[in-house]
Each structure stands twice: as structure tokens, then as C-alpha cells.
Amino acid sequence: QVQLVESGGGSVQAGGSLSLSCAVSGVTISSRCMAWFRQAPGKEREGVATISINGGTTYADSVKGRFTISKDNAKKTLYLQMTSLKPEDTAMYLCAAVGAQWRTVCDSGQLFTYWGQGTQVTVSS
């Protein structure tokens, strides 16, 4: 059974930091494109960051320079370090993994088969 379980969300003031984790079981992350998405109430789901099998990363323009995606293949865990948080970063943050393995192309437009339930991040001004 595939499971992705996010943790680390919470409430912070603008300018603060949070670190999210996503523990993965049932699939290998070393061979898959992994990503963080977010969805705010009334808005479409948005790709935040991706990390490829080779460690290459992509970021949404809105988070470049503030967020860092990383992974620990041995621990099967995906991370998102968020700094300089803004009220507009408030959303449910979800981690995701593609179904296909060993694809080198990795961006938020890929087909993500596996999803976590999400962790809420709230940033107050």
C-alpha cells in the first residue's frame, strides 16, 4: 500500500519559517520525480516545487529564493524548507510522486499518481 504522509505544517507570522516533511512508504522515491503542491480555498492547486531523480529542482516563481525542496532517498522522505513566509503562502500543502519510474523530466506538469492528505500552513500578517 502506498502512503505519503505530510507533517510540519502550522501557523506562523509573516517572515517566519516552517519545514515540511513527507514520509513515503510503498514506493521508492529515488527513482521518481517528487513534488510539493499547494491549494488555497477557492483557488486551483498550484505546483510549488519539484525534485528529479538526479536532484534537479524547479520552483514556482512565487516561491523562488524562499523555499527549498530536498529529499533523503534512504529515509524515503521529501522535505520543503520554507522561509520568509507571506500571507499568500497560506494553503494546504501536499506532497506527490509520479507513477512512472526513471523519467528524467520532472516538473509540476507531470502525471502525479500518488498523493498525501496534506498539511495546513497558515501565515498571518
Side-chain angles (χ1 to χ4, degrees), residues 5-105:
V5 180
E6 302 93 338
S7 61
S11 298
V12 295
Q13 290 192 326
S17 300
L18 280 174
S19 293
L20 306 184
S21 298
C22 173
V24 181
S25 60
V27 292
T28 55
I29 70 169
S30 59
S31 59
R32 286 181 167 83
C33 169
M34 303 291 296
W36 286 97
F37 288 81
R38 66 186 181 186
Q39 187 160 22
K43 294 187 177 181
E44 291 190 357
R45 188 169 58 198
E46 173 190 22
V48 175
T50 66
I51 186 164
S52 72
I53 59 175
N54 297 317
T57 58
T58 69
Y59 295 93
D61 287 343
S62 58
V63 307
K64 279 181 182 176
R66 301 188 297 120
F67 290 12
T68 303
I69 187 172
S70 62
K71 62 176 180 173
D72 186 325
N73 291 331
K75 293 183 178 179
K76 298 183 72 174
T77 303
L78 181 70
Y79 303 99
L80 185 68
Q81 176 69 37
M82 305 185 294
T83 63
S84 301
L85 283 161
K86 304 175 181 180
E88 51 263 44
D89 294 319
T90 295
M92 182 71 76
Y93 283 72
L94 305 100
C95 64
V98 297
Q101 299 187 74
W102 305 115
R103 298 281 182 86
T104 55
V105 176

